[in-house]
């Protein structure tokens, strides 16, 4: 039997505070979104930011509460615990996805939403450990769903390529 000490989780606490801060900021600024009343009980354009901010706020509260929770931690690292720690490769992988996201946002105006999303989604999923065909199929499904839902159904114009295609 391994002896335990009891410790708090400062990572959960910090992440929870960050989520609460972002959620309250979104709630504050979403109040200034103008809503036209057409008399059809349409909730308007601010319903999505408010709903997402409320979900984020609830998640932040859960994280803060779990950050204050005292959990048993083994005094000597166990072999399973060593395998679960984040390695340098994990940080590099996560950073590469974030850099890819920035490049995705910059290049989208030239390549268009569909092509750029297909490429970024596939590369991000492959760099996170998916097989290439799974990543490509998943990205293709996302692109098709977004195209049908937003462009065809809701008539949202997404960025197209400078060549006039997708």
């Amino acid at each position: 039997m391994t002896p335990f000490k009891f410790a708090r989780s400062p990572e959960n606490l910090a992440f929870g505070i960050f989520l609460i801060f972002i959620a309250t900021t979104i709630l504050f600024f979403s109040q200034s979104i103008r809503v036209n009343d057409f008399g059809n009980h349409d909730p308007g354009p601010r319903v999505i930011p408010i709903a997402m901010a409320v979900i984020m706020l609830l998640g932040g509260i859960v994280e803060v509460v779990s950050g204050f929770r005292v959990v048993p931690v083994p005094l000597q690292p166990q072999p399973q615990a060593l395998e679960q720690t984040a390695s340098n490769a994990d940080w590099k992988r996560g950073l590469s996805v974030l850099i890819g996201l920035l490049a995705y946002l910059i290049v989208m105006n030239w390549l268009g939403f569909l092509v750029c999303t297909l490429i970024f989604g596939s590369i991000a999923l492959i760099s996170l450990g998916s097989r290439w065909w799974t990543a490509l199929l998943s990205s293709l499904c996302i692109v098709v769903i977004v195209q049908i839902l937003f462009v065809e159904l809701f008539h949202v114009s997404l960025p197209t390529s400078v060549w006039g295609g997708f």
Side-chain angles (χ1 to χ4, degrees), residues 35-115:
V35 177
N36 296 327
D37 186 17
F38 296 114
N40 59 359
H41 305 292
D42 183 15
R46 77 170 106 162
V47 72
I48 298 294
I50 289 175
M52 297 305 291
V54 167
I55 292 169
M56 192 181 299
L57 185 65
L58 293 174
I61 291 169
V62 168
E63 288 293 319
V64 167
V65 168
S66 68
F68 279 116
R69 187 181 64 195
V70 178
V71 294
V73 178
L75 290 176
Q76 295 176 352
Q78 301 298 314
Q80 327 59 315
L82 291 176
E83 292 173 6
Q84 294 175 356
T85 59
S87 67
N88 242 356
D90 293 335
W91 283 101
K92 289 178 184 175
R93 206 173 319 168
L95 186 61
S96 70
V97 170
L98 287 176
I99 291 171
L101 179 62
L102 181 63
Y104 165 75
L105 294 173
I106 292 171
V107 175
M108 188 185 308
N109 288 331
W110 292 302
L111 291 179
F113 176 80
L114 297 177
V115 173

Side-chain angles (χ1 to χ4, degrees), residues 25-35 45-46 50:
T25 304
I26 291 171
L27 284 172
F28 176 76
F29 284 111
S30 66
Q31 296 306 313
S32 65
I33 298 174
R34 199 175 118 214
V35 177
R46 77 170 106 162
I50 289 175

Side-chain angles (χ1 to χ4, degrees), residues 109-140:
N109 288 331
W110 292 302
L111 291 179
F113 176 80
L114 297 177
V115 173
C116 209
T117 302
L118 184 65
I119 292 170
F120 169 73
S122 299
I123 291 173
L125 288 172
I126 290 169
S127 70
L128 292 174
S130 293
R131 289 183 226 127
W132 70 268
W133 60 271
T134 307
L136 187 62
L137 187 62
S138 299
S139 297
L140 187 63

